[in-house]
Amino acid sequence: MISEADWKKVKKIKEKALELFCERAMADIEDAIAKESSSKHGRFLYVYKMAENHNKQLALIFDDLRRSNAKIHLALIVSEGLVSADDISSLSVELQAFIQENA
């Protein structure tokens, strides 16, 4: 389990990372919608599948965050490139080491 100080920082990191994840997902969807190379029905099906995949990824990375599993979730957030180096450097040395080994 992580410290209370790290927990507070992780919750803030999670919120910023979630916004960035959604921003990227929506940009992917907007690009897919804008493609004129396929039919509207084809684009709809593609966008639907894309949204479904993004939702699964979002659930894996962000759902059910607790102090007991925060290290794993944070490693996933880092591995997806959703957190800044400044945010990581604000965490405890122990948590930074875990992230470096597991992200």
Side-chain angles (χ1 to χ4, degrees):
M1 190 174 308
I2 65 172
S3 70
E4 182 66 28
D6 276 340
W7 175 238
K8 289 178 181 179
K9 293 172 187 171
V10 167
K11 289 192 297 185
K12 289 179 181 176
I13 289 170
K14 178 211 173 202
E15 291 306 315
K16 287 171 37 177
L18 181 59
E19 284 297 308
L20 181 55
F21 179 91
C22 292
E23 181 181 314
R24 289 179 183 175
M26 290 189 304
D28 287 348
I29 290 170
E30 288 170 357
D31 289 346
I33 290 170
K35 285 187 180 179
E36 296 292 331
S37 60
S38 62
S39 69
K40 289 182 179 169
H41 182 246
R43 283 184 291 185
F44 173 82
L45 294 175
Y46 181 72
V47 166
Y48 177 81
K49 192 55 137 173
M50 183 183 288
E52 194 174 53
N53 289 337
H54 280 299
N55 188 53
K56 287 177 185 176
Q57 188 178 18
L58 183 144
L60 175 70
I61 298 170
F62 296 104
D63 284 2
D64 198 32
L65 176 66
R66 299 178 303 241
R67 277 181 68 183
S68 62
N69 65 13
K71 287 181 177 182
I72 300 297
H73 281 274
L74 190 56
L76 289 168
I77 288 168
V78 170
S79 71
E80 290 295 321
L82 297 169
V83 62
S84 71
D86 287 342
D87 286 333
I88 296 301
S89 68
S90 73
L91 300 168
S92 69
V93 174
E94 175 192 12
L95 191 49
Q96 287 181 48
F98 179 86
I99 292 165
Q100 197 167 37
E101 293 172 11
N102 294 285

